[in-house]
């Protein structure tokens, strides 16, 4: 399977690029943010407990997210590959993901790290807050908290994968198509090995 992690801070463009990548490479798009928002909309017990964390700009507890991802991997084991978007967000989640994938002998092939500086991120998130309807986007204090949590809890995930030489940096500022092309170049290098 072609299993790829799209990594980067909130506002780096993971959602936008994921949509284009899954279409081109026929991958399953596994966005924990989207899955959690669906649980909230359906008012499930998981959604109700996750909502408070998300609205506050905090991470949902690892065991909740890992359980949700485990089900999705099982359901999509027949797929050509999975594009992970917004997951793993902690080293604990990364270790759990590696374990889940090792049971299926289908490891993460590459971690594509979208590089965007903080000024640009804040600008983008303020703009997104005007239209997205997401409580965590609309409030500047919560946006700042999300960037702090990213640095403290999520950035170490790139070090975790760095030790296995899986991380590739991709410039995340430019046109959507230019960034998409850079990501495709990297995926094409591994997809040949997977075929
Ligand atoms: P963005 O695209 O802005 O980075 P997401 O839609 O991926 O944001 O996630 C929104 C919120 O959902 C996060 O701030 C967090 O509260 C929660 N969330 C999403 N994925 C995870 C995860 N893997 N672990 C913990 N919390 C998560």
């Amino acid at each position: 399977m072609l299993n790829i992690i799209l990594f980067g801070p909130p506002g780096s463009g993971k959602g936008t690029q994921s949509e284009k990548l899954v279409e081109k490479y026929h991958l399953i798009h596994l966005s924990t943010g989207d899955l959690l928002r669906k649980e909230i909309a359906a008012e499930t017990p998981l959604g109700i407990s996750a909502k408070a964390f998300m609205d506050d700009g905090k991470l949902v507890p690892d065991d909740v997210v890992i359980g949700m991802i485990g089900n999705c991997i099982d359901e999509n084991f027949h797929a050509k590959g999975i594009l992970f978007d917004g997951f793993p967000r902690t080293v604990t989640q990364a270790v759990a993901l590696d374990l889940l994938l090792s049971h299926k002998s289908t490891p993460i092939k590459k971690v594509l790290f979208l590089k965007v500086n903080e000024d640009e991120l804040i600008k983008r998130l303020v703009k997104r807050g005007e239209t997205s309807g997401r409580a965590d986007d609309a409030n500047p204090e919560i946006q700042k908290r999300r960037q702090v949590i990213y640095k403290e809890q999520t950035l170490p995930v790139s070090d975790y994968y760095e030790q296995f030489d899986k991380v590739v940096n991709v410039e995340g500022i430019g046109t959507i198509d230019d960034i998409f092309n850079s990501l495709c170049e990297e995926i094409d290098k591994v997809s040949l090995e997977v075929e």
Side-chain angles (χ1 to χ4, degrees), residues 1-3 26-28 73 75-82:
M1 283 171 82
L2 182 57
N3 298 323
H26 308 289
L27 305 173
I28 299 290
I73 291 176
E75 284 162 17
N76 291 301
F77 187 49
H78 59 278
K80 202 164 169 269
I82 301 177

Side-chain angles (χ1 to χ4, degrees), residues 9-11 14-15 31-34 36-37 53-54 57-62 65 85-89 93 125 128 134 136-137 146:
K14 299 187 296 289
S31 156
T32 40
D34 287 352
L36 290 166
R37 281 186 286 275
F53 293 99
M54 292 171 73
K58 295 180 182 150
L59 294 183
V60 174
D62 284 333
V65 178
D85 163 10
F87 179 90
R89 253 182 164 89
Q93 292 178 17
L125 287 169
R128 188 167 89 180
R134 277 174 49 173
D136 58 346
D137 279 345
R146 292 175 70 201

Side-chain angles (χ1 to χ4, degrees), residues 2-6 17-18 20-22 24-27 80 82-83 109-112 168 170 179-195:
L2 182 57
N3 298 323
I4 305 276
I5 294 172
L6 193 56
Q17 295 296 338
S18 291
K20 292 170 72 72
L21 291 170
V22 294
K24 172 161 176 169
Y25 293 99
H26 308 289
L27 305 173
K80 202 164 169 269
I82 301 177
L83 182 73
K109 294 286 181 311
K110 212 167 240 191
V111 178
L112 300 173
V168 179
V170 174
I179 298 164
F180 177 63
N181 289 336
S182 309
L183 291 168
C184 291
E185 253 175 54
E186 295 302 331
I187 294 182
D188 289 341
K189 287 184 204 162
V190 265
S191 71
L192 292 174
E193 295 164 22
V194 174
E195 301 274 301

Side-chain angles (χ1 to χ4, degrees), residues 48-61 64 136 142 145:
I48 291 163
S49 70
K51 187 176 187 312
F53 293 99
M54 292 171 73
D55 286 353
D56 228 13
K58 295 180 182 150
L59 294 183
V60 174
V64 174
D136 58 346
I142 290 179
R145 181 177 306 150

